[in-house]
Amino acid sequence: MTAQRYSVQLEARMEEVRAMRHFQVGHDGLGQLYKAMAERALDRIRGDRLGQPSPFHDRIDLAHARMYALSPKNGEPPSRSLAVEAGQAAGFSEREILDVIETIEAYGDRSSLISDGQLAIQLTNLGYPVTTDNIARARATAAAAMAEACLAAASDSGVPVKLGVPSPRAMALFGSQSARWICEAIAPASQDESGTPVPLNDGCRDGPFSQVAEIVIENRKREGLWDDDRAREVSASVNLLVGANGDIPFSSIKQQHLFECVKLMGRLPKRYNHFMVKGQGGFAAALASVEPPDKETEDQEHARLRKIGLHSGTRNKHLCWLKAVIEGAATAGFAKHSLDFKGLRHNAKQTKKTDKRKKNEKRPNWTVEAFAKLTSGPVYEGCAGIDNRFKPGAHVIHDGVYWSPLVNLNICGRPSEGAGLESVDVFPDAPVPYIYVRPNRLRGLKVDEGERKVAVSQKVIELGFLDYVRAVQAAGHAALFPEFVHPDGLLDFDWMMRKRAIDPARKFHFPGGTGLELHGKAPDGHSLRGTGRTALRDFGVELPMRNYISGHVDGTVGVEVYEADPDLALVRDAIAGLDAFFEHLRPMPLKMRPTERMCFGSPRGRPRAEPAERSARLNANV
């Protein structure tokens, strides 16, 4: 009897299941699903907020709400163009629109915002059959529920929710009560008479290239990805493309426009920035400045041609920034372009038949003899005064002009790394005195791996560097070289070292050129980095130590993650490989800049005197 009873019950259950296969969830069922999913999602979001507090929760939840609200009826992620158009129509800021776009892109290639498994669980809990039709019918309602949950979570923390007037589709999905939670993003800007959204094509946003680039630059600055210096570099790259092609619509950019931009870089003088100042003629004046005269000798032609064409590294940099602008614009909802930047870059393969240089020969290094000549003369042996550093005299002034070339060679660093040190970045009283190259309040580092501790060369110590550091620290100066700090931050330390120390010394000691020029480029402040690394290599220092001293990215997980920094005593022994570059220098009594001149610039408002009188007066104050 028991078996017969079980058989009857099983057959009845099977009949019930067969009947439910054709049962579609109706309006009441969708309402129950909506309520259940919204409550469950809201509980989960509130739990995440409590478990992981963050100031970004409100932005994240609002962006998700707008994405869910814009989802088509099949529950798939909305297109970028729909998000842009809806956000613009609703009056959202550029940041709010980008938040929605980034949220959409986080879902990648997923065909649905809510998985079928989630819907199946909810349908089962409510007693509805899990069929393909029911899951399809539930997707739009589930998206609406998720939007309300996200907006409700945002409203918990006092974030005002823009109500607006929901579209007919929103009313159908959310019902009259829930519609009040919907932000304006639910209503696309374009609808037909029935209230059905009209599909919009991706890339519908457009405008002149310069305007689109400005939007991308401002977005990157607001996100903290680009600083003002980087923004200026990118703007210069944008100007090159506009100068070569005109301010063409962003949507019409083609490979030919990039090619014309590269051609312009090859025709411009190596230094053309002064022509770009307002009223100086721009690109037309720059190109005219290198036009051949009517009668030109062979030597004159050779000298003129050496001044033409941006360096390959500069050209690659401009292409890099143009690529960043175009990709950033696509993220912001503008047209997506597939352009070949790699083929336009100047790499080792392209240069083999033209200049036969190696990858690492883009910038010539200083030789021991050339560096000794650069760091000799009035600055190191006696100058006429603080404003006449390259005129022979009786004063050796210890400041950034004196020390910065030596310090940068000591750390094998980029110009800004040594010139932008804070006084507390040098530890003169440590058992092994060292320079701590790290981000500080004055400047950052190009890469995180650039942070390092480099022992001070014994030869540099003998010149009185540690006494200079102690004097600057005792005077309370934040910067190691206070005269290099522009009060408004308009001039970076790379520029200060080049204009105050390297370029004047090179012009004074090498009026006809250093003889080390390579492909039209002379050794400069940045060459000290390669000079130091090469000297350490020739001294027998192993590659990992050379990479550490110069702050070069090793690229291997074992070194970057697991290995500790080398002992400073070992670094000091390696730095001895640079001694040959300092042998010619002789210690001089420490003489600091006058107190009133321990800052950027010269005193203002002084009556202009004749050079000899001005020199005598300044010498008396030194």
Side-chain angles (χ1 to χ4, degrees):
M1 291 295 294
T2 301
Q4 185 177 2
R5 185 171 70 251
Y6 284 157
S7 176
V8 171
Q9 291 176 349
L10 179 59
E11 183 63 26
R13 180 58 181 166
M14 291 298 296
E15 285 294 331
E16 182 181 349
V17 170
R18 282 193 289 268
M20 289 182 65
R21 286 178 182 173
H22 305 288
F23 177 71
Q24 289 187 336
V25 60
H27 180 78
D28 292 340
L30 290 177
Q32 295 172 0
L33 175 70
Y34 178 89
K35 183 175 183 297
M37 288 208 69
E39 290 176 348
R40 182 174 180 274
L42 182 57
D43 289 341
R44 179 182 57 79
I45 295 171
R46 285 172 173 167
D48 290 342
R49 283 171 167 256
L50 290 173
Q52 298 178 337
S54 169
F56 301 105
H57 278 309
D58 293 334
R59 276 180 57 186
I60 294 171
D61 290 339
L62 284 173
H64 275 80
R66 289 160 180 165
M67 176 191 68
Y68 283 122
L70 285 169
S71 173
K73 288 186 178 181
N74 58 2
E76 66 185 18
S79 66
R80 296 195 310 272
S81 62
L82 180 61
V84 171
E85 288 295 316
Q88 289 177 335
F92 291 163
S93 67
E94 196 76 29
R95 177 67 267 173
E96 289 177 308
I97 294 174
L98 282 175
D99 284 345
V100 178
I101 292 173
E102 290 169 359
T103 304
I104 293 171
E105 292 185 342
Y107 280 79
D109 298 330
R110 289 175 57 174
S111 58
S112 178
L113 294 174
I114 302 171
S115 69
D116 291 352
Q118 288 178 281
L119 295 174
I121 292 173
Q122 293 298 329
L123 289 170
T124 301
N125 291 341
L126 295 172
Y128 292 99
V130 180
T131 64
T132 303
D133 288 342
N134 281 347
I135 287 178
R137 287 169 60 83
R139 282 199 181 106
T141 301
M146 294 297 293
E148 179 170 348
C150 292
L151 286 170
S155 68
D156 285 346
S157 56
V159 176
V161 178
K162 300 178 181 178
L163 303 180
V165 179
S167 67
R169 179 165 69 93
M171 294 293 291
L173 288 178
F174 286 74
S176 59
Q177 294 299 318
S178 298
R180 65 187 181 85
W181 286 105
I182 309 306
C183 59
E184 298 99 309
I186 190 63
S190 178
Q191 294 182 342
D192 59 21
E193 296 179 356
S194 65
T196 303
V198 177
L200 298 169
N201 295 325
D202 279 343
C204 58
R205 296 183 77 188
D206 202 4
F209 185 84
S210 61
Q211 292 184 11
V212 176
E214 189 63 30
I215 292 174
V216 175
I217 292 172
E218 288 302 318
N219 289 339
R220 293 293 185 265
K221 288 175 64 177
R222 190 162 50 244
E223 294 166 354
L225 299 177
W226 290 350
D227 56 17
D228 290 337
D229 291 336
R230 179 57 49 80
R232 282 194 291 270
E233 291 180 3
V234 177
S235 295
S237 305
V238 171
N239 289 338
L240 282 167
L241 189 137
V242 172
N245 302 281
D247 205 358
I248 55 177
F250 183 83
S251 60
S252 65
I253 295 175
K254 296 191 169 43
Q255 189 71 25
Q256 178 65 22
H257 297 128
L258 289 180
F259 182 71
E260 292 297 328
C261 180
V262 172
K263 282 177 59 179
L264 175 61
M265 295 184 209
R267 294 166 52 212
L268 284 170
K270 295 184 185 298
R271 295 186 177 181
Y272 70 94
N273 289 340
H274 56 287
F275 291 104
M276 306 309 293
V277 179
K278 187 175 181 180
Q280 299 302 313
F283 289 118
L287 293 172
S289 69
V290 290
E291 285 292 324
D294 294 336
K295 294 182 179 180
E296 184 179 40
T297 65
E298 185 175 344
D299 290 341
Q300 289 174 334
E301 180 185 16
H302 180 68
R304 179 177 59 83
L305 292 177
R306 287 180 60 187
K307 298 178 180 178
I308 298 177
L310 303 189
H311 188 263
S312 60
T314 305
R315 184 174 80 173
N316 292 346
K317 179 189 70 174
H318 286 306
L319 289 172
C320 175
W321 297 145
L322 288 173
K323 182 179 181 182
V325 168
I326 290 173
E327 291 179 349
T331 302
F334 290 90
K336 208 170 196 177
H337 295 284
S338 180
L339 302 172
D340 179 17
F341 287 89
K342 186 176 180 180
L344 295 173
R345 291 177 62 85
H346 201 173
N347 54 40
K349 291 182 179 179
Q350 292 172 323
T351 59
K352 277 185 178 178
K353 294 184 179 180
T354 56
D355 55 28
K356 298 181 181 179
R357 67 179 180 174
K358 299 177 183 178
K359 292 180 183 178
N360 61 345
E361 291 179 338
K362 294 181 179 180
R363 180 181 280 106
N365 291 333
W366 294 97
T367 62
V368 173
E369 294 77 15
F371 184 77
K373 190 172 183 180
L374 181 79
T375 53
S376 63
V379 171
Y380 295 89
E381 298 167 6
C383 66
I386 194 170
D387 290 324
N388 291 279
R389 303 301 298 274
F390 292 92
K391 183 178 179 180
H395 305 282
V396 176
I397 304 169
H398 294 84
D399 60 359
V401 176
Y402 182 100
W403 290 116
S404 60
L406 310 182
V407 170
N408 267 312
L409 180 59
N410 191 146
I411 63 175
C412 301
R414 303 172 181 89
S416 62
E417 291 180 345
L421 288 168
E422 287 189 341
S423 58
V424 295
D425 290 337
V426 184
F427 294 78
D429 300 317
V432 178
Y434 67 94
I435 299 169
Y436 192 178
V437 184
R438 56 184 172 181
N440 57 40
R441 293 169 295 175
L442 304 176
R443 57 100 180 96
L445 296 180
K446 184 176 180 181
V447 293
D448 294 338
E449 292 79 2
E451 185 170 334
R452 61 207 187 269
K453 296 177 181 178
V454 183
V456 182
S457 167
Q458 184 59 38
K459 296 294 183 182
V460 176
I461 293 176
E462 292 171 3
L463 294 175
F465 177 64
L466 299 185
D467 293 333
Y468 170 82
V469 172
R470 294 187 185 99
V472 173
Q473 292 176 347
H477 294 291
L480 185 62
F481 308 122
E483 68 276 12
F484 282 1
V485 182
H486 190 279
D488 299 322
L490 299 179
L491 302 175
D492 59 27
F493 293 99
D494 190 337
W495 189 94
M496 293 300 301
M497 177 179 165
R498 177 163 52 88
K499 290 297 185 181
R500 297 291 178 86
I502 299 296
D503 284 1
R506 192 171 59 186
K507 183 177 181 180
F508 179 84
H509 292 292
F510 305 99
T514 62
L516 303 173
E517 286 76 12
L518 186 64
H519 312 296
K521 197 170 186 68
D524 55 15
H526 200 99
S527 300
L528 295 173
R529 180 171 170 82
T531 300
R533 283 183 60 92
T534 303
L536 295 177
R537 181 199 65 191
D538 296 343
F539 189 65
V541 178
E542 296 294 333
L543 178 61
M545 179 64 82
R546 300 201 305 268
N547 285 342
Y548 175 78
I549 292 173
S550 61
H552 185 76
V553 180
D554 185 274
T556 59
V557 173
V559 173
E560 301 299 338
V561 177
Y562 298 111
E563 292 186 5
D565 292 343
D567 187 86
L568 277 171
L570 298 176
V571 179
R572 178 188 57 196
D573 295 342
I575 288 294
L578 303 174
D579 285 354
F581 288 87
F582 306 125
E583 289 284 358
H584 65 287
L585 295 167
R586 295 293 175 262
M588 295 288 183
L590 183 65
K591 181 177 288 188
M592 306 293 288
R593 295 171 66 93
T595 303
E596 68 274 11
R597 299 296 297 273
M598 293 289 282
C599 61
F600 177 84
S602 302
R604 302 299 185 218
R606 297 176 301 158
R608 190 168 183 80
E610 293 299 319
E613 298 175 7
R614 186 164 65 253
S615 176
R617 185 177 67 244
L618 291 173
N619 291 344
N621 293 329
V622 172

